[in-house]
């Protein structure tokens, strides 16, 4: 990230500690976000949306129901991220905002890069890139894709 973005996020972390949670730690938050990402992504891939009711808002759940039903099985399988398959995690954007009732909220966008063995096509339309990694020798090849996910 740029030095300005890095400085900006550190300033927001200070504000979070001062006004929301005096014990806030981005390292601890990231560990929890990885666990949450793994759980939610697996439930999405298995279409167990009823188990997400306590984890996401009703509005988001409705959108997820519509979007998941349109995905082919291979793309739905690619949503699942085992916590051990997460290769890299970083925060994307941090925001503090107020709603109409004056309540304060913190929003942290987390970006995850993870390996997944879903049977995805080698070529995808548009500007998306699919990175493939092959493990093993000639007899025991295992192809995995390096995928990205952004969760807020």
């Amino acid at each position: 990230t740029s030095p300005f973005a890095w400085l900006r996020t550190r300033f927001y972390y200070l504000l979070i500690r001062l006004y929301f949670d005096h014990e806030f730690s981005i390292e601890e938050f990231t560990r929890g976000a990885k666990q949450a990402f793994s759980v939610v992504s697996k439930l999405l891939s298995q279409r167990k949306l009823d188990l997400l009711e306590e984890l996401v808002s009703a509005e988001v759940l409705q959108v997820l129901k519509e979007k998941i039903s349109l995905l082919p099985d291979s793309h739905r399988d690619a949503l699942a991220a085992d916590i051990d398959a997460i290769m890299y995690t970083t925060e994307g954007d941090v925001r503090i905002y107020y709603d109409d009732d004056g309540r304060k909220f913190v929003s942290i966008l987390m970006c995850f890069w993870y390996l997944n063995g879903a049977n995805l096509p080698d070529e995808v339309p548009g500007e998306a890139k699919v990175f493939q990694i092959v493990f093993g020798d000639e007899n025991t090849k295992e192809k995995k894709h390096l995928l990205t996910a952004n969760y807020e």
Side-chain angles (χ1 to χ4, degrees), residues 1 9 30 36 39 68 73 79 84-85 109 111 120 134 138 141:
T1 61
T9 58
T30 299
V39 168
I68 290 293
D73 288 343
L79 295 174
D84 295 329
L109 176 70
C111 306
L120 295 173
V134 178
E138 289 297 321
K141 280 186 181 179

Side-chain angles (χ1 to χ4, degrees), residues 51-143:
L51 297 177
L52 290 174
E53 287 179 7
E54 307 231 351
L55 301 175
V56 300
S57 68
E59 297 84 18
V60 170
L61 190 58
Q62 185 57 40
V63 171
L64 288 173
K65 286 178 180 178
E66 293 168 11
K67 300 286 183 183
I68 290 293
S69 66
L70 301 174
L71 286 178
D73 288 343
S74 61
H75 291 158
R76 199 181 70 246
D77 292 343
L79 295 174
D82 187 65
I83 196 161
D84 295 329
I86 300 172
M87 302 284 95
Y88 182 71
T89 304
T90 188
E91 65 277 359
D93 188 28
V94 180
R95 291 180 282 145
I96 297 174
Y97 59 94
Y98 297 85
D99 70 1
D100 293 337
D101 297 326
R103 296 180 298 176
K104 297 181 283 190
F105 292 90
V106 173
S107 171
I108 302 177
L109 176 70
M110 296 299 296
C111 306
F112 302 96
W113 284 259
Y114 64 101
L115 292 174
N116 184 288
N119 187 20
L120 295 173
D122 292 340
E123 307 251 345
V124 291
E127 295 183 23
K129 303 285 186 230
V130 175
F131 298 97
Q132 295 179 9
I133 301 168
V134 178
F135 295 96
D137 57 24
E138 289 297 321
N139 298 326
T140 59
K141 280 186 181 179
E142 180 183 3
K143 184 170 72 170

Side-chain angles (χ1 to χ4, degrees), residues 33-43 79-84 86 112 151:
K34 283 172 73 171
Q35 291 174 339
F37 166 59
S38 180
V39 168
V40 170
S41 68
K42 288 177 185 174
L43 292 174
L79 295 174
D82 187 65
I83 196 161
D84 295 329
I86 300 172
F112 302 96
Y151 277 52

